Amino acid sequence: MPATVEKLSILVCDDEPRFRAMLEEVLSAEGHRVRTVGDGRAAIDELRSEQRYDLVITDMRMPGLDGFAVLDAARAVASQPAVVAITGFASIDETVQAIRHGASDYLAKPFPIDRLLEVVANVAKDRRPPARQRATPAPSATDGDASFGFIGKSQAMRAVYARLLRFAALDATVLVQGETGTGKELA
């Protein structure tokens, strides 16, 4: 029996009306609360409103304010929604930039709907409150846990551990970037 996916509040930002409508239909059918907007300015205004979002799905290339502005705005709000970047013009440089700006995932259009639903399910799992998650405790210098070899229990480090666990299950190449001495080899 498949695990139940937590229902999310999702903001979709894309300048293509038919694509926006399709995403709204698919995500709403899964039980998520979906709001759509057609440009970066409207997405930023919505993020700054009273509404709390768990996930933002944003196109990266739009007239006016682009997806990078939306990513930056999402990082600035208190609810810290996860952000999935989507684009019809995928490039390695843009992917790396989106991840550096805080995107939790990156999808190139056209993408299979199953892949989108998988990404949304992963976000739901990652955003579940700690009391309801079956997460492994964060390794620390004193508990002798050498599963990662990292030291730290902060929220940011727990997010790193969650990502490492998620990516470890993939049969894919993963690019790990960072400053010298930050543990890329351990990852």
Side-chain angles (χ1 to χ4, degrees), residues 107-155:
L107 298 172
K109 294 177 187 176
F111 47 81
I113 293 302
D114 289 346
R115 176 68 181 120
L116 173 68
L117 295 177
E118 177 185 318
V119 168
V120 171
N122 286 337
V123 167
K125 183 175 74 172
D126 289 347
R127 294 192 68 82
R128 216 176 300 154
R132 295 172 60 192
Q133 279 184 335
R134 287 185 299 144
T136 56
S140 74
T142 58
D143 67 8
D145 185 343
S147 63
F148 295 112
F150 289 106
I151 299 171
K153 294 183 179 181
S154 70
Q155 180 67 26

Side-chain angles (χ1 to χ4, degrees), residues 118 125 162-172 174:
E118 177 185 318
K125 183 175 74 172
R163 277 193 174 167
L164 288 174
L165 286 170
R166 190 173 77 206
F167 292 132
L170 298 176
D171 183 24
V174 177

Side-chain angles (χ1 to χ4, degrees), residues 59-179:
D59 191 4
M60 295 307 293
R61 295 190 185 182
M62 298 177 286
L65 295 178
D66 63 11
F68 291 108
V70 175
L71 277 162
D72 292 341
R75 284 192 351 214
V77 296
S79 63
Q80 294 284 298
V83 180
V84 174
I86 57 176
T87 187
F89 307 95
S91 73
I92 292 174
D93 287 342
E94 188 175 66
T95 303
V96 169
Q97 284 300 106
I99 299 299
R100 284 185 179 161
H101 276 260
S104 58
D105 216 320
Y106 191 92
L107 298 172
K109 294 177 187 176
F111 47 81
I113 293 302
D114 289 346
R115 176 68 181 120
L116 173 68
L117 295 177
E118 177 185 318
V119 168
V120 171
N122 286 337
V123 167
K125 183 175 74 172
D126 289 347
R127 294 192 68 82
R128 216 176 300 154
R132 295 172 60 192
Q133 279 184 335
R134 287 185 299 144
T136 56
S140 74
T142 58
D143 67 8
D145 185 343
S147 63
F148 295 112
F150 289 106
I151 299 171
K153 294 183 179 181
S154 70
Q155 180 67 26
M157 287 306 295
R158 285 195 302 271
V160 169
Y161 305 141
R163 277 193 174 167
L164 288 174
L165 286 170
R166 190 173 77 206
F167 292 132
L170 298 176
D171 183 24
T173 302
V174 177
L175 174 64
V176 179
Q177 291 185 314
E179 298 295 322

Side-chain angles (χ1 to χ4, degrees), residues 48-60:
R48 292 178 179 161
S49 73
E50 298 284 322
Q51 176 63 42
R52 180 189 172 279
Y53 291 98
D54 300 304
L55 173 62
V56 176
I57 300 172
T58 185
D59 191 4
M60 295 307 293

